[in-house]
Protein backbone atom coordinates (compact mmCIF):
# COMPACT_ATOMS: atom_id res chain seq x y z
CA UNK A 1 0.00 0.00 0.00
CA UNK A 2 1.40 3.35 -1.04
CA UNK A 3 0.88 5.93 1.69
CA UNK A 4 2.91 8.66 0.01
CA UNK A 5 1.23 12.06 0.41
CA UNK A 6 1.90 12.78 -3.27
CA UNK A 7 -0.53 10.15 -4.57
CA UNK A 8 -3.93 11.85 -4.38
CA UNK A 9 -4.37 13.40 -1.01
CA UNK A 10 -1.41 15.71 -0.83
CA UNK A 11 -0.10 17.00 2.45
CA UNK A 12 0.77 20.59 1.57
CA UNK A 13 3.22 22.70 3.50
CA UNK A 14 1.42 24.14 6.47
CA UNK A 15 1.43 27.69 7.85
CA UNK A 16 4.68 28.46 9.63
CA UNK A 17 6.81 26.31 7.31
CA UNK A 18 9.70 27.87 5.42
CA UNK A 19 8.72 28.02 1.75
CA UNK A 20 11.28 26.08 -0.31
CA UNK A 21 13.16 28.33 -2.69
CA UNK A 22 13.19 27.41 -6.37
CA UNK A 23 14.30 28.67 -9.73
CA UNK A 24 12.07 27.78 -12.68
CA UNK A 25 11.69 28.88 -16.30
CA UNK A 26 9.31 31.86 -16.61
CA UNK A 27 9.78 32.01 -20.38
CA UNK A 28 11.74 29.78 -22.74
CA UNK A 29 14.86 31.92 -22.04
CA UNK A 30 14.30 33.48 -18.57
CA UNK A 31 14.00 32.08 -15.05
CA UNK A 32 12.44 33.32 -11.83
CA UNK A 33 13.34 32.41 -8.26
CA UNK A 34 11.10 32.65 -5.22
CA UNK A 35 13.96 34.37 -3.37
CA UNK A 36 13.83 37.23 -5.93
CA UNK A 37 10.38 38.11 -4.57
CA UNK A 38 11.34 38.34 -0.88
CA UNK A 39 10.14 41.41 0.98
CA UNK A 40 6.53 41.20 -0.19
CA UNK A 41 3.82 38.53 -0.09
CA UNK A 42 3.74 35.92 -2.83
CA UNK A 43 0.71 33.91 -3.92
CA UNK A 44 1.78 30.58 -5.42
CA UNK A 45 -0.98 28.98 -7.48
CA UNK A 46 -0.15 25.40 -8.43
CA UNK A 47 -2.49 24.06 -11.09
CA UNK A 48 -2.69 20.76 -12.99
CA UNK A 49 -2.40 21.73 -16.67
CA UNK A 50 -2.46 24.52 -19.23
CA UNK A 51 -5.52 24.57 -21.49
CA UNK A 52 -7.83 22.60 -19.18
CA UNK A 53 -11.24 24.22 -18.56
CA UNK A 54 -11.02 24.51 -14.75
CA UNK A 55 -7.43 25.76 -14.85
CA UNK A 56 -8.36 28.33 -17.49
CA UNK A 57 -11.26 29.53 -15.31
CA UNK A 58 -9.15 29.64 -12.13
CA UNK A 59 -6.26 31.53 -13.72
CA UNK A 60 -8.71 33.87 -15.49
CA UNK A 61 -10.26 34.70 -12.12
CA UNK A 62 -6.81 35.33 -10.61
CA UNK A 63 -5.94 37.54 -13.57
CA UNK A 64 -9.11 39.57 -12.96
CA UNK A 65 -8.16 39.87 -9.26
CA UNK A 66 -4.61 41.13 -9.85
CA UNK A 67 -5.49 44.66 -8.63
CA UNK A 68 -6.74 43.18 -5.35
CA UNK A 69 -3.46 41.25 -4.95
CA UNK A 70 -1.46 44.38 -5.80
CA UNK A 71 -3.35 46.25 -3.07
CA UNK A 72 -1.52 43.94 -0.64
CA UNK A 73 1.73 44.31 -2.65
CA UNK A 74 1.45 40.59 -3.42
CA UNK A 75 2.90 38.93 -6.51
CA UNK A 76 0.88 36.12 -8.09
CA UNK A 77 2.95 33.27 -9.56
CA UNK A 78 1.31 30.28 -11.27
CA UNK A 79 3.14 26.93 -11.50
CA UNK A 80 2.38 23.74 -13.41
CA UNK A 81 4.37 20.88 -14.88
CA UNK A 82 3.79 22.15 -18.42
CA UNK A 83 6.71 23.53 -20.45
CA UNK A 84 7.64 27.20 -20.70
CA UNK A 85 6.58 27.07 -24.39
CA UNK A 86 3.11 25.82 -23.43
CA UNK A 87 2.84 28.52 -20.74
CA UNK A 88 3.85 31.22 -23.23
CA UNK A 89 1.16 30.18 -25.73
CA UNK A 90 -1.48 29.67 -23.02
CA UNK A 91 -0.75 33.01 -21.32
CA UNK A 92 -0.76 34.91 -24.61
CA UNK A 93 -3.98 33.29 -25.80
CA UNK A 94 -5.76 33.93 -22.48
CA UNK A 95 -4.30 37.38 -21.80
CA UNK A 96 -2.77 36.56 -18.41
CA UNK A 97 -0.57 39.21 -16.77
CA UNK A 98 1.41 37.24 -14.17
CA UNK A 99 4.40 34.88 -14.30
CA UNK A 100 3.67 31.27 -15.20
CA UNK A 101 6.54 28.99 -14.18
CA UNK A 102 7.39 25.63 -15.71
CA UNK A 103 7.96 22.85 -13.15
CA UNK A 104 8.75 20.71 -16.18
CA UNK A 105 12.12 19.04 -15.59
CA UNK A 106 12.75 17.39 -13.29
CA UNK A 107 9.00 17.02 -13.60
CA UNK A 108 7.13 18.28 -10.57
CA UNK A 109 10.21 18.85 -8.39
CA UNK A 110 8.87 22.10 -6.96
CA UNK A 111 5.34 20.71 -6.52
CA UNK A 112 6.90 17.78 -4.63
CA UNK A 113 8.82 20.16 -2.35
CA UNK A 114 5.52 21.88 -1.49
CA UNK A 115 3.75 18.53 -0.94
CA UNK A 116 1.33 18.96 -3.86
CA UNK A 117 2.51 16.60 -6.61
CA UNK A 118 0.13 13.92 -7.87
CA UNK A 119 2.55 11.20 -8.92
CA UNK A 120 -0.11 8.88 -10.35
CA UNK A 121 -1.23 11.54 -12.84
CA UNK A 122 2.06 13.40 -13.24
CA UNK A 123 0.53 16.80 -12.38
CA UNK A 124 0.32 19.07 -9.38
CA UNK A 125 -2.68 19.45 -7.15
CA UNK A 126 -4.82 22.55 -7.44
CA UNK A 127 -3.06 24.23 -4.52
CA UNK A 128 -2.62 27.75 -3.23
CA UNK A 129 0.03 29.14 -0.91
CA UNK A 130 0.37 32.61 0.55
CA UNK A 131 3.99 33.26 1.48
CA UNK A 132 4.98 36.27 3.56
CA UNK A 133 7.81 38.64 2.75
CA UNK A 134 10.22 36.65 4.92
CA UNK A 135 9.56 33.44 2.97
CA UNK A 136 7.21 31.62 5.35
CA UNK A 137 3.97 29.93 4.38
CA UNK A 138 1.10 31.80 6.06
CA UNK A 139 -1.81 29.99 4.39
CA UNK A 140 -2.23 26.95 2.16
CA UNK A 141 -5.16 25.19 0.56
CA UNK A 142 -5.61 22.17 -1.71
CA UNK A 143 -8.84 22.00 -3.70
CA UNK A 144 -10.24 19.09 -5.68
CA UNK A 145 -8.80 19.07 -9.20
CA UNK A 146 -12.26 19.68 -10.67
CA UNK A 147 -13.08 22.72 -8.47
CA UNK A 148 -12.04 26.33 -9.00
CA UNK A 149 -11.21 27.51 -5.45
CA UNK A 150 -11.76 31.19 -6.20
CA UNK A 151 -9.78 34.02 -4.62
CA UNK A 152 -11.56 34.57 -1.30
CA UNK A 153 -9.20 32.39 0.76
CA UNK A 154 -6.14 34.07 -0.75
CA UNK A 155 -7.54 37.55 -0.14
CA UNK A 156 -8.42 36.66 3.47
CA UNK A 157 -4.86 35.41 4.03
CA UNK A 158 -3.36 38.54 2.46
CA UNK A 159 -5.62 40.72 4.60
CA UNK A 160 -4.38 38.94 7.75
CA UNK A 161 -0.79 39.71 6.68
CA UNK A 162 -1.62 43.41 6.32
CA UNK A 163 -3.92 44.36 9.20
CA UNK A 164 -3.53 48.09 8.57
CA UNK A 165 -5.32 47.76 5.21
CA UNK A 166 -8.24 45.60 6.40
CA UNK A 167 -10.95 48.16 5.76
CA UNK A 168 -9.87 49.14 2.24
CA UNK A 169 -11.45 46.22 0.39
CA UNK A 170 -14.54 45.97 2.60
Amino acid sequence: MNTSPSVHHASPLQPGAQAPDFTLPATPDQTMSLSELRGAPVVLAFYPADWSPVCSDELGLFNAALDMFKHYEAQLVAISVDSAWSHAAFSTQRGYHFPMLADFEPKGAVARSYGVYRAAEGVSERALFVIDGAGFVRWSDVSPISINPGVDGVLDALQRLAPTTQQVLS
Side-chain angles (χ1 to χ4, degrees):
M1 178 176 178
N2 186 347
T3 58
S4 168
S6 65
V7 173
H8 263 317
H9 303 288
S11 179
L13 290 179
Q14 296 299 305
Q18 178 75 46
D21 194 19
F22 56 79
T23 300
L24 289 173
T27 69
D29 60 353
Q30 295 177 324
T31 61
M32 176 181 269
S33 298
L34 180 62
S35 59
E36 294 171 25
L37 304 173
R38 287 269 163 79
V42 175
V43 176
L44 290 183
F46 287 89
Y47 65 100
D50 291 346
W51 310 104
S52 71
V54 177
C55 294
S56 296
D57 289 347
E58 177 185 20
L59 296 178
L61 180 60
F62 286 152
N63 196 59
L66 284 176
D67 284 343
M68 289 185 266
F69 295 159
K70 287 178 186 173
H71 169 77
Y72 295 107
E73 299 178 6
Q75 171 68 57
L76 171 65
V77 177
I79 301 174
S80 83
V81 298
D82 295 300
S83 72
W85 291 105
S86 179
H87 286 337
F90 183 51
S91 179
T92 298
Q93 197 268 342
R94 299 290 178 165
Y96 298 148
H97 300 286
F98 50 85
M100 298 179 73
L101 306 184
D103 194 8
F104 186 68
E105 192 59 43
K107 188 172 184 179
V110 173
R112 290 174 205 272
S113 72
Y114 280 78
V116 295
Y117 187 69
R118 294 173 69 116
E121 293 92 348
V123 299
S124 71
E125 294 280 358
R126 188 172 310 287
L128 299 167
F129 294 88
V130 172
I131 299 167
D132 68 17
F136 289 91
V137 175
R138 293 296 169 212
W139 179 82
S140 63
D141 181 67
V142 176
S143 297
I145 291 279
S146 62
I147 303 293
N148 178 345
V151 297
D152 291 345
V154 171
L155 292 173
D156 289 346
L158 290 171
Q159 188 174 39
R160 286 192 302 273
L161 285 178
T164 58
T165 58
Q166 285 181 3
Q167 300 304 315
V168 176
L169 292 179
S170 298

